[in-house]
Amino acid sequence: MSFLVETIVRSVAVPAAASVAVLLLWRRACPQTAGPRHAAAWAVGGGFLVGYLFLPSAPVVPASHWQWLPYVGLVAMILAPVGLAEGVRLPERWGLHLVLAVAAAWFLVPDWAEIEPQRPLYFGALAGSLLLLVVVLDRLSFHIPDASMPVLVCVTAFAGAVVLAQSGSMKFAHLAGVIGAVNLGYALVTVFGSWSPSFQSAVPVVVILLGGLMFAGDVNSFSDVPRASYVLVPVAPLGAAVCLLRPVRSWPRSRRIAVQAAGVLVPLAAGVALALQAEPLQ
Amino acid sequence: MRMFALLSLSLCGLLLAGCGETASPTGSPDAPAAGSSGNGASAGTGEAKHASSEPASEEPASEESAGDSQSVALNAENTTIEFVGSKPDGSSHTGGFRDFSGKIQRGPEGQTIKAVSLEIQTKSLWADNKKLENHLKSPDFFKVREHPTATFQSTSVEAGESGEQTVTGELTLLGETKEISFPATVTAQDDGWKLESSFSLDRTRFGMTFGEGEINKEVELSVSVDTSGGEKSAGAKESGSEKQP
């Protein structure tokens, strides 16, 4: 198998298949009760873990800060659906998101001597950013319950892969591709599988994984890719909120989806363009 | 009275003799020489062991070898460390390190290596392609942010044929410490001496496994030290004493 084909299989095909398999298992086991609440989170978190293990020489025991990604993703995968349980109020769910964001930042901010003086700042910034993204995207997913959100998250992750590749790490680009692939798997089941579990439970998992990965790419890079690129990628899905604006809400569905997509793709394109301008393709 | 004078003179003689010598252990230079520029020679990818490198780097150049050896500081002015990474299809890229420090201790005859130590700042890595340089510094290869230094500390040097010597020591790269051995040849120059070393290193031994199958795991390293134009003797400058030939 050529190196390129092998890379695509490892970073896209296998995680997407894992995501689909998890969803189908939940649909078979609990289609009406726990399934709709848990399935999306498990598909994304479980699919990412499979994709991470397919990374060549993937360390199971974390030795570097970014190697905690699959484990913080697993924690989010298990806890996120708890916030959607019946009887849990919105502030309580936000409290759960706060715990997840703080825990993720704790493990993902490196403890190198080089950044030690600024570590609290990095920690606060990452935890705060993750929390804000989770809270806003959670609400967005509630108001946009169709397959458009996972599709846009998939495109976002693949764009992140381009930025990370230009930043100098193919491992990180691979993992961003995995995040895109698991969301693609979810979107395929939603569109063609006649079952649409809520994407809301996947939001904390996606934000922590993609946001944490872009952070890792930024702090480890020696390239000229600007910080704006690393920030625009995880923030881009918030652009989908334009379709909830009063005038847009009354538009035909196709036009609404186009505006929603534009709201995400414009900041994404800006982030990728900045990265390619700083580090042109060779 | 005579006895007293004799004793006084003897005591003075002993004191003067003591001042003339610089006590320094032979066999292991203190501060690792950071300058290795080779491809990975010694700098390898690994993390620098602060335990071995810090004492060495903090020791003043005045570290003077004992009377039967000479100590020379290694730096980017007199040392180059370069590496060549290649693929199975034959294509290759060259790189090296620019910032390093260390020391070589040589024997009294000048062409015998007694000890080598080196500390490399992995951030100084360079490559013949800017994009490759960034990639090499990333977590895929050298993990420079996480492992800012790499060190080498010799443990033994064996003489071989035709003036070639085999240096054995511990290389610390990416947090892994492994024993390596490499050949080195010292030749005399008109106003100094020259050391040349070329060998290959298996990067995967140190956990640098990215691209296995696509990129050769053996990396060719070359180290050269050229003191022509003014040998830099750490001890001699500090203590003011001349290196013992």
Side-chain angles (χ1 to χ4, degrees), chain A residues 3-16:
Chain A
F3 184 68
L4 180 62
V5 172
E6 192 179 337
T7 301
I8 292 172
V9 167
R10 284 176 184 269
S11 66
V12 179
V14 170

Side-chain angles (χ1 to χ4, degrees), chain A residues 57 64 166 168-170 219 221, chain B residues 131 135 138 140 145-146 209:
Chain A
S57 309
S64 300
Q166 296 311 103
S169 174
M170 297 312 294
V219 297
S221 177
Chain B
K131 216 170 177 74
H135 193 192
S138 78
D140 293 358
R145 296 267 188 229
E146 191 172 347
T209 55

Side-chain angles (χ1 to χ4, degrees), chain B residues 29-226:
Chain B
D30 321 297
S36 30
S37 47
N39 297 323
S42 39
T45 35
E47 191 170 38
K49 275 257 175 89
H50 290 288
S52 59
S53 59
E54 282 178 5
S57 57
E58 288 174 2
E59 302 240 334
S62 57
E63 198 78 31
E64 206 29 73
S65 48
D68 63 345
S69 64
Q70 304 169 35
S71 179
V72 175
L74 300 178
N75 51 52
E77 291 178 7
N78 61 14
T79 304
T80 57
I81 305 176
E82 293 185 349
F83 56 80
V84 177
S86 59
K87 291 185 176 183
D89 64 5
S91 61
S92 64
H93 285 281
T94 303
F97 295 91
R98 292 195 179 100
D99 185 5
F100 44 82
S101 64
K103 206 174 282 191
I104 284 184
Q105 281 191 348
R106 299 183 302 130
E109 63 278 14
Q111 290 179 301
T112 304
I113 300 169
K114 294 183 77 81
V116 180
S117 66
L118 194 67
E119 176 178 290
I120 295 174
Q121 305 303 316
T122 53
K123 197 174 179 179
S124 71
L125 182 152
W126 63 270
D128 56 10
N129 176 287
K130 183 66 167 62
K131 216 170 177 74
L132 173 64
E133 188 176 305
N134 292 336
H135 193 192
L136 290 175
K137 290 180 178 177
S138 78
D140 293 358
F141 290 98
F142 282 79
K143 304 178 187 175
V144 170
R145 296 267 188 229
E146 191 172 347
H147 303 291
T149 55
T151 61
F152 175 78
Q153 181 71 58
S154 66
T155 54
S156 67
V157 182
E158 292 175 9
E161 295 178 358
S162 308
E164 188 175 274
Q165 299 163 70
T166 301
V167 180
T168 300
E170 292 186 335
L171 172 64
T172 300
L173 197 57
L174 291 177
E176 296 284 335
T177 300
K178 305 284 182 190
E179 185 177 273
I180 65 168
S181 292
F182 55 89
T185 305
V186 179
T187 51
Q189 307 277 301
D190 288 340
D191 54 350
W193 52 269
K194 201 168 182 179
L195 179 149
E196 300 279 349
S197 176
S198 294
F199 59 100
S200 66
L201 188 72
D202 181 357
R203 61 187 175 92
T204 61
R205 287 182 64 202
F206 298 89
M208 194 186 293
T209 55
F210 183 85
E212 261 191 287
E214 184 70 11
I215 302 170
N216 293 334
K217 60 181 186 178
E218 296 290 333
V219 179
E220 300 303 316
L221 288 94
S222 63
V223 182
S224 67
V225 182
D226 188 349

Side-chain angles (χ1 to χ4, degrees), chain A residues 158-168 214 225-226 229-230 233 268 271-272 275:
Chain A
F158 285 138
V162 174
V163 171
L164 290 169
Q166 296 311 103
S167 80
M214 299 310 294
V225 172
S229 290
Y230 300 104
V233 167
L268 263 188
V272 172

Side-chain angles (χ1 to χ4, degrees), chain A residues 83-268:
Chain A
L84 295 170
E86 205 172 314
V88 174
R89 292 175 296 172
L90 202 56
E92 290 166 338
R93 195 189 313 161
W94 290 343
L96 178 64
H97 294 162
L98 174 64
V99 168
L100 288 174
V102 168
W106 179 260
F107 285 100
L108 296 177
V109 175
D111 57 359
W112 308 324
E114 184 181 286
I115 71 163
E116 194 50 45
Q118 293 89 29
R119 190 171 192 273
L121 189 65
Y122 279 96
F123 172 78
L126 182 60
S129 304
L130 293 177
L131 177 64
L132 185 66
L133 282 172
V134 169
V135 166
V136 177
L137 280 177
D138 174 72
R139 292 286 82 204
L140 261 183
S141 298
F142 175 76
H143 290 291
I144 310 174
D146 57 25
S148 59
M149 279 307 291
V151 169
L152 290 171
V153 168
C154 165
V155 173
T156 299
F158 285 138
V162 174
V163 171
L164 290 169
Q166 296 311 103
S167 80
S169 174
M170 297 312 294
K171 274 185 188 173
F172 291 166
H174 169 116
L175 291 176
V178 168
I179 297 172
V182 297
N183 281 279
L184 178 64
Y186 173 90
L188 288 173
V189 170
T190 303
V191 171
F192 300 109
S194 64
W195 190 54
S196 301
S198 168
F199 189 68
Q200 259 186 296
S201 67
V203 166
V205 187
V206 167
V207 168
I208 284 171
L209 289 177
L210 188 58
L213 191 59
M214 299 310 294
F215 170 78
D218 184 14
V219 297
N220 279 281
S221 177
F222 282 86
S223 72
D224 294 328
V225 172
R227 178 154 291 161
S229 290
Y230 300 104
V231 172
L232 280 168
V233 167
V235 164
L238 298 181
V242 293
C243 73
L244 298 177
L245 294 173
R246 197 175 294 261
V248 180
R249 263 188 285 176
S250 56
W251 290 359
R253 188 167 183 267
S254 57
R255 222 167 132 195
R256 217 171 52 240
I257 289 176
V259 169
Q260 179 188 351
V264 174
L265 294 176
V266 166
L268 263 188

